[in-house]
Amino acid sequence: MARAIATLGIVGTGVMGVGIAQIASTAGLKVRLFDARDGAATDAKERLRATFATLVAKQKIEQGVADDALSRLVPATDIADLADCDLVIEAILEDLAAKRQLIADLENIVAPDAVLATNTSSLSVTAIARACRKPERFAGFHFFNPVPLMRVIEVIPGFHTSAEVTTALLSLAERCGHRGVLAKDTPGFIINHAGRAFGTEALRLVEEGVADFAAIDRILREGAGFRMGPFELFDLTGLDVSHPATEAIFEQFYGDPRYRPSYLAQQRVVASQLGRKTGQGFYNYGQGSPMAKARDALPPMPIPPVWIGRSAHFDTAALIRLVKTLGGRIDEGAASSEGSLILVAPLGDDATTVAYGARLDARRVVAIDLLTASDRHRTLMTTPATDPAFAAAALTLFSGDAAGATLIRDSMGFVAQRVVAMVVNLASDIAQQRIASPADIDDAVRIGLGYPMGPLSWGDSLGPATILRLLERLNALSGDPRYRPSAWLRRRAQLGLSLLAEG
Ligand SMILES: NC(=O)c1ccc[n+]([C@@H]2O[C@H](COP(=O)([O-])OP(=O)(O)OC[C@H]3O[C@@H](n4cnc5c(N)ncnc54)[C@H](O)[C@@H]3O)[C@@H](O)[C@H]2O)c1
């Protein structure tokens, strides 16, 4: 098998088919385009003509490159015109029966050693392959939208796919300038699987009343470094797309609570509050960008002395320096003086657990997240007993420089600790299930989801033992097996190994 791939067929010239055609024709492949809708393949070429013209105008590519790429795009009026293709990728609607029918039809058209591939996001590659007489020639070749910018492609062999086909697709991905990653045929493959942690944990925080959408988005964007907050992302993707995807993965993993969808998303789907496309999602898009809203300045107020609780996890000397830099006074007593703000820095525990365990006066306790605190953003958390005057004083103190600060209600693991721990844990579990190599998981998630770091590298940079401790506390305090640490993470944390370590 594995003939050289020079001519590519694309069936389905919608959003994905056109994107695939763009990168493949630019990479030098001849591309035959076919769509069931009359005129759609020709329209696709016209759309690409405009895209190439824009790229030339913006000096992203040279005129000659654009002309060559365009000349390699050939619309087909009959599916039989794909007969000389070395590889055909289907990017038609996401329907098992339709894809099976198409693959069966294609097998009667292409050469015996031609490769067939599906761009499915949510169907099993092996299930589609049931339609093939020669399933060894068929694999998943999963692109991300927008294809030219999302430079990663998952290659997913089905149960019967030959090694030559897998290798050919991986090298084609590289030829198109994308990172090819190898994934087992499992629900969500790598990226859509790993991506469940971010959104579902953010929804969980709202369900628990920890903070509102905007506060969670701000903390994760400014404090944790995500490009976009989860609720901004839901609104961009549309809940009609992301919620069913979460439900499907939850069901395909037989109800594993790690993937549990939220009634909050379901309610919005029912109410047609899908996001940007309906003008209303978690945010209202009626009057300009909701993110542009400036935060209200805090009124000046007297700040009480700050007594800092002992921490087994963080360098409190750095916290003392920060408080002093912000103009705060330190209460240096062995115990806090009456009237001092009590500042604690938990890892995984909520503020109440710390106050209760150390017999602190909960009315004066405010917790600060030192794990994900950055010079850009700080998260503060109260107990249910915290006097609002102390909460306001803490917020004022920690908003005293260029960094922002957000006050949340009591939560195991604040917001960012929880979300990052879940991202790392899910990626660890994908490694544990041997769905992909640690390096492929790390690259796929970083590129495909635009996270600031690969999730396993992120876990390494925060410390596997730190992430383990976080998850153990989340698991213990919530009683929710959603937070059970992956064996991959636990073993590497206990042995002092990197999360990228195979074995
Ligand atoms: N849109 C995304 O973000 C995304 C990302 C990754 C994968 N995918 C997957 O890619 C595939 C295509 O998605 P899309 O968003 O491009 O869809 P789309 O609706 O934009 O395009 C689908 C195209 O397929 C054509 N079509 C439908 N049935 C056909 C058939 N039997 N034969 C030939 N053409 C047919 C339609 O006319 C349409 O032009 C789906 O399997 C989807 O799950 C989509």
Side-chain angles (χ1 to χ4, degrees):
M1 188 143 344
R3 55 198 249 166
I5 297 171
T7 303
L8 168 68
I10 296 174
V11 182
T13 56
V15 176
M16 298 306 288
V18 167
I20 298 166
Q22 182 183 330
I23 62 164
S25 61
T26 308
L29 277 84
K30 180 167 184 180
V31 181
R32 297 197 184 280
L33 300 163
F34 177 75
D35 196 284
R37 189 168 59 79
D38 273 353
T42 315
D43 287 352
K45 179 162 182 177
E46 290 316 305
R47 264 183 288 159
L48 284 170
R49 187 189 303 279
T51 302
F52 285 128
T54 308
L55 291 173
V56 170
K58 287 186 177 171
Q59 298 184 331
K60 299 265 166 120
I61 57 173
E62 307 217 337
Q63 185 69 54
V65 173
D67 291 344
D68 288 350
L70 204 61
S71 73
R72 286 191 280 266
L73 290 166
V74 188
T77 47
D78 190 325
I79 195 164
D81 296 343
L82 305 186
D84 70 345
C85 291
D86 306 304
L87 162 68
V88 180
I89 303 171
E90 75 74 18
I92 67 164
L93 78 170
E94 189 76 339
D95 178 88
L96 180 61
K99 288 192 191 288
R100 277 182 170 166
Q101 182 62 54
L102 172 62
I103 295 300
D105 291 347
L106 284 168
E107 261 201 319
N108 292 326
I109 293 169
V110 297
D113 60 348
V115 176
L116 300 174
T118 174
N119 184 41
T120 185
S121 298
S122 61
L123 300 170
S124 153
V125 170
T126 306
I128 300 172
R130 284 282 298 273
C132 292
R133 281 195 309 276
K134 294 171 67 168
E136 60 274 19
R137 65 152 93 190
F138 179 74
F141 201 39
H142 186 213
F143 295 79
F144 293 81
N145 186 23
V147 176
L149 300 182
M150 304 297 282
R151 293 174 175 267
V152 60
I153 308 173
E154 292 174 329
V155 175
I156 308 125
F159 276 28
H160 304 287
T161 309
S162 76
E164 291 85 350
V165 164
T166 303
T167 308
L169 291 175
L170 283 168
S171 72
L172 179 62
E174 304 291 332
R175 202 171 138 199
C176 292
H178 281 38
R179 171 82 161 85
V181 293
L182 185 60
K184 280 202 185 130
D185 187 16
T186 48
F189 313 130
I190 305 172
I191 296 171
N192 286 342
H193 183 168
R196 296 305 115 194
F198 186 56
T200 62
E201 194 55 23
L203 284 161
R204 193 91 204 102
L205 283 156
V206 176
E207 282 179 11
E208 284 176 25
V210 172
D212 64 18
F213 320 129
I216 292 171
D217 276 352
R218 190 166 59 237
I219 292 167
L220 290 169
R221 221 182 326 104
E222 296 176 19
F226 288 96
R227 199 185 289 166
M228 208 183 261
F231 298 100
E232 292 157 353
L233 183 61
F234 280 135
D235 278 1
L236 183 69
T237 311
L239 276 181
D240 56 329
V241 174
S242 55
H243 182 59
T246 302
E247 283 186 320
I249 288 183
F250 179 63
E251 280 158 23
Q252 289 172 64
F253 281 114
Y254 299 109
D256 186 328
R258 283 203 210 289
Y259 313 104
R260 193 190 299 126
S262 168
Y263 65 85
L264 290 172
Q266 171 61 17
Q267 284 173 337
R268 284 188 148 66
V269 171
V270 171
S272 294
Q273 295 200 347
L274 304 177
R276 286 175 183 264
K277 65 176 79 165
T278 56
Q280 171 76 51
F282 289 99
Y283 297 95
N284 182 353
Y285 296 87
Q287 307 90 30
S289 165
M291 272 81 84
K293 218 169 58 185
R295 259 173 284 157
D296 298 335
L298 292 165
M301 66 169 70
I303 310 288
V306 181
W307 184 85
I308 295 177
R310 265 196 305 278
S311 170
H313 310 286
F314 297 105
D315 173 15
T316 44
L319 186 54
I320 291 171
R321 282 196 299 279
L322 175 62
V323 170
K324 286 183 176 166
T325 310
L326 293 169
R329 283 166 297 143
I330 299 291
D331 170 354
E332 293 184 358
S336 73
S337 311
E338 198 62 39
S340 292
L341 166 69
I342 300 174
L343 195 62
V344 294
L347 181 68
D349 285 322
D350 57 13
T352 297
T353 304
V354 180
Y356 177 74
R359 295 168 193 270
L360 303 172
D361 177 359
R363 291 168 303 174
R364 294 184 284 126
V365 167
V366 173
I368 183 165
D369 179 357
L370 288 189
L371 185 68
T372 55
S374 69
D375 48 1
R376 292 184 61 209
H377 198 83
R378 301 174 187 123
T379 308
L380 302 166
M381 169 167 85
T382 51
T383 77
T386 304
D387 182 333
F390 281 96
L395 189 61
T396 305
L397 174 65
F398 286 102
S399 308
D401 60 4
T406 300
L407 189 66
I408 62 167
R409 294 198 194 89
D410 215 355
S411 157
M412 323 78 75
F414 294 87
V415 169
Q417 288 184 7
R418 252 169 97 157
V419 171
V420 174
M422 286 299 278
V423 166
V424 175
N425 200 36
L426 209 48
S428 297
D429 226 37
I430 294 172
Q432 182 63 38
Q433 293 172 49
R434 317 287 153 171
I435 290 171
S437 73
D440 276 7
I441 295 168
D442 227 34
D443 281 354
V445 173
R446 180 175 49 76
I447 305 169
L449 298 175
Y451 290 174
M453 247 188 261
L456 300 174
S457 299
W458 205 345
D460 277 350
S461 77
L462 294 171
T466 299
I467 303 290
L468 178 63
R469 146 93 197 180
L470 261 171
L471 290 161
E472 282 173 340
R473 296 310 296 151
L474 284 163
N475 197 19
L477 289 173
S478 68
D480 187 342
R482 168 177 177 76
Y483 300 106
R484 67 194 189 281
S486 164
W488 181 275
L489 170 73
R490 180 178 55 75
R491 292 177 184 137
R492 280 153 188 77
Q494 289 172 338
L495 297 174
L497 298 173
S498 158
L499 295 181
L500 287 158
E502 312 233 16

